[in-house]
Amino acid sequence: DLVKVWEKMNAKRFDKITFSEILAKDLRIMDPAAIALARDNGIPVIVFSIREPGAVLQVLKGAGRFTIVTKD
């Protein structure tokens, strides 16, 4: 699902987060090497649930629930 940090069974969702924050907080949403590669090449990443019906179309429209991962 979206980028979440589990702190004592309480999830925190981010609308926007940086690659460095993901690595520093050890969020494990992607392989660390993939995160570093995207960061180093300035490739933004959008994280969303593919299990939610219609999610891809919603994200393409700029709607729905997703997290944008950006360079620092």
Side-chain angles (χ1 to χ4, degrees):
D1 198 63
L2 304 167
V3 177
K4 295 180 180 178
V5 179
W6 292 98
E7 297 171 353
K8 297 181 183 178
M9 301 304 289
N10 292 321
K12 180 177 181 183
R13 190 175 87 70
F14 298 90
D15 290 321
K16 191 172 186 180
I17 193 167
T18 67
F19 291 109
S20 294
E21 289 175 306
I22 290 172
L23 294 172
K25 294 178 181 185
D26 194 26
L27 297 181
R28 301 179 190 194
I29 62 159
M30 295 171 51
D31 177 75
I35 292 171
L37 185 62
R39 178 193 61 202
D40 295 346
N41 289 286
I43 301 169
V45 174
I46 297 175
V47 181
F48 63 96
S49 174
I50 60 170
R51 294 183 178 143
E52 189 175 317
V56 174
L57 185 57
Q58 290 291 351
V59 169
L60 291 174
K61 291 179 179 179
R65 292 179 42 173
F66 58 90
T67 299
I68 299 174
V69 185
T70 61
K71 194 170 180 173
D72 304 332

